[in-house]
Amino acid sequence: MNSIVLKGAQLSDGREVDIRITADKIEAIGSNLAGDQVIDCSGLIALAGFVDLHTHLREPGYEASETVLTGTQSAALGGFTAVHAMANTDPVADTAGVVEQIRSLGIEAGYVDVFPIGAVTVGLEGKQLAELGAMAQSKAAVKVFSDDGKCVSDPLLMRRALEYVKAFGGVIAQHAQEPRLTEGAQMNAGLVSSELGLAGWPAVAEESIIARDVLLAEHVGSRIHICHLSTKGSVEIVRWAKSRGINVTAEVTPHHLLLTDELARSYDPIYKVNPPLRTEADVLALREALIDGTIDIVATDHAPHPIEAKDCEWNAAAFGMVGLETAASVAQLVLIESGKSDWKRLESVLSSKPAEIAGDGNHGELAVGRTANLTLIDPKAQRKIARETASKSVNNPYTDRELPGAVIHTIFNGRFTVLNGALQKQEEIA
Ligand SMILES: [Zn+2]
Ligand SMILES: [Zn+2]
């Protein structure tokens, strides 16, 4: 059986090792290992393959923006070996049939594990619970449910959803946005929105839902996951909930860790996103929370849009930005380059913890006997960001910025999806 040996890579705990992969398993970690295909990995950091709990792959229905194939290629280039695909497709992923279709498209593409997220409500309409049990029992084995893009704003529906998924260990991922407080909102409500004359999106619209939902989760005794925290107040609520023993996890996106509402002054809709970019004080609070563990994970909220949806006036433009190929670099900037955290934490927020939240045992740990899902990063690389390499969409807010680190190899189920920075065609890895 052919084996791959990754020579002289550094693990997140600092040990320099050889890693031998046979078939789809990590067979040995040690020194002086031999194998059929030996890859020099000196200077590279080897981490468990990244897991994105929040990706929009757009298929079925919006293939002009992205497909499962192009989205998962983009993911592999970003070091991911699993992505969780949000349900706001057309048709909406609210039945066993649709989630099974998305799961199959992922297997066909072959670049990462695609786990479909099931909608909480029928058609994302917030009126009637979707068939959560049928999606959980389907071949797609859905464990994460979300109406992302929309908030489950009805408290009774949210309570019922929490009760329902508790029975089978599922989790609701809430897009926290009180719709009545954000009607027509275009950007963060604050100094900049007043100056620009754009309708403001107040922090309280996010924070009031998070406060309500952590209390509902406590009441039901269920767990809850909060998508894309964007404000200092949201961090404080999650911190309070955790201190009270409430079973809540939270995510932050790369863009909310790096960009602020000052960018809206350009009137370039590339910076229009939901939830909106906030202030410097919010960014600092989010960074601190990611470092101290209040925020559990980084998730991309990769939201591809065709050029015409962004190449227009701010008010008419779509919300969202891509981010699969740059997420690890932003995490490295915030955790490593800042000197405030380490590779163990980066591996936790981009791999172990998202896998744990999703109940996924095939990702999240680089250890002997585990499925060979890993990524190798050159931490010293400096990249000037161009457009995404594989994604169909180019709404990338980091274009022309310098970011640290580069994904050199990605290995999914024991096969290279990315080798020396280049995407490996599916035929070559089959
Ligand atoms: Zn969202
Ligand atoms: Zn989203």
Side-chain angles (χ1 to χ4, degrees):
M1 196 177 292
N2 274 1
S3 59
I4 301 168
V5 171
L6 307 169
K7 269 247 163 290
Q10 189 191 313
L11 300 177
S12 61
D13 62 10
R15 278 184 298 152
E16 199 181 300
V17 297
D18 299 347
I19 301 165
R20 184 163 59 218
I21 295 163
T22 305
D24 63 346
K25 290 280 187 289
I26 297 172
E27 186 223 320
I29 296 177
S31 47
N32 301 314
L33 298 182
D36 302 310
Q37 186 184 4
V38 177
I39 312 267
D40 178 14
C41 291
S42 48
L44 304 185
I45 312 273
L47 302 170
F50 301 147
V51 176
D52 191 11
L53 201 60
H54 191 149
T55 312
H56 296 272
L57 291 178
R58 302 298 192 214
E59 189 178 3
Y62 304 103
E63 290 84 355
S65 303
E66 196 78 284
T67 63
V68 170
L69 178 64
T70 59
T72 55
Q73 288 177 331
S74 194
L77 285 165
F80 290 90
T81 54
V83 303
H84 291 256
M86 278 298 177
N88 60 342
T89 48
D90 183 16
V92 169
D94 60 0
T95 63
V98 179
V99 293
E100 283 180 352
Q101 181 199 351
I102 294 165
R103 176 86 186 135
S104 298
L105 285 169
I107 291 167
E108 234 168 77
Y111 283 93
V112 302
D113 256 324
V114 173
F115 297 112
I117 291 176
V120 177
T121 67
V122 175
L124 306 175
E125 283 175 354
K127 291 185 183 131
Q128 185 192 340
L129 275 193
E131 292 171 3
L132 309 183
M135 288 188 272
Q137 283 157 25
S138 74
K139 276 187 238 154
V142 176
K143 290 202 184 76
V144 184
F145 297 88
S146 182
D147 273 3
D148 183 61
K150 290 186 179 169
C151 179
V152 181
S153 61
D154 179 335
L156 182 59
L157 262 183
M158 182 47 117
R159 177 183 160 182
R160 289 208 178 115
L162 289 168
E163 284 167 349
Y164 205 102
V165 298
K166 187 186 169 190
F168 56 84
V171 65
I172 305 290
Q174 174 70 298
H175 170 116
Q177 177 192 354
E178 167 48 59
R180 293 281 285 153
L181 294 175
T182 53
E183 281 170 16
Q186 292 291 324
M187 66 170 295
N188 179 48
L191 200 66
V192 182
S193 66
S194 312
E195 284 180 32
L196 299 182
L198 289 170
W201 184 308
V204 68
E206 174 172 316
E207 294 158 3
S208 57
I209 293 289
I210 297 176
R212 182 200 78 177
D213 285 356
V214 294
L215 290 171
L216 278 174
E218 180 181 48
H219 176 73
V220 171
S222 186
R223 64 190 177 115
I224 187 157
H225 177 74
I226 312 292
C227 297
H228 42 50
L229 258 62
S230 75
T231 77
K232 186 166 186 272
S234 295
V235 166
E236 285 163 3
I237 294 163
V238 169
R239 193 173 279 137
W240 170 84
K242 286 189 168 186
S243 75
R244 199 174 151 97
I246 296 171
N247 201 348
V248 57
T249 52
E251 77 189 28
V252 64
T253 69
H255 45 274
H256 289 112
L257 288 168
L258 194 61
L259 310 176
T260 71
D261 63 353
E262 289 290 330
L263 289 161
R265 291 185 190 282
S266 67
Y267 284 105
D268 184 343
I270 201 87
Y271 303 115
K272 182 174 173 180
V273 66
N274 175 351
L277 301 176
R278 305 283 188 181
T279 68
E280 187 71 27
D282 295 307
V283 167
L284 294 175
L286 293 166
R287 287 183 176 203
E288 191 188 303
L290 185 68
I291 290 162
D292 75 19
T294 303
I295 291 178
D296 300 87
I297 68 169
V298 170
T300 69
D301 199 2
H302 177 82
H305 287 292
I307 288 182
E308 58 273 21
K310 282 293 196 182
D311 193 13
C312 54
E313 267 186 56
W314 184 284
N315 277 298
F319 290 97
M321 29 182 83
V322 297
L324 285 165
E325 295 177 34
T326 42
S329 289
V330 176
Q332 183 182 332
L333 186 74
V334 170
L335 296 175
I336 314 291
E337 308 302 306
S338 67
K340 290 184 175 161
S341 195
D342 53 28
W343 289 101
K344 269 237 151 299
R345 182 78 190 138
L346 187 140
E347 188 176 47
S348 172
V349 303
L350 271 171
S351 179
S352 325
K353 194 70 186 181
E356 183 194 314
I357 292 168
D360 162 20
N362 272 328
H363 298 267
E365 195 189 11
L366 199 173
V368 173
R370 298 295 302 260
T371 305
N373 291 318
L374 55 151
T375 186
L376 290 111
I377 302 228
D378 176 1
K380 297 210 168 72
Q382 282 290 330
R383 290 192 293 156
K384 188 158 186 186
I385 304 301
R387 60 152 291 177
E388 306 291 287
T389 316
S391 174
K392 271 195 168 183
S393 293
V394 295
N395 49 315
N396 180 335
Y398 309 109
T399 304
D400 293 334
R401 276 175 195 260
E402 283 251 333
L403 288 176
V407 171
I408 306 300
H409 312 300
T410 307
I411 297 170
F412 169 56
N413 281 342
R415 303 168 313 187
F416 284 98
T417 52
V418 175
L419 180 63
N420 295 315
L423 200 62
Q424 303 297 291
K425 281 209 180 95
Q426 189 204 354
E427 301 87 86
E428 289 167 22
I429 51 175

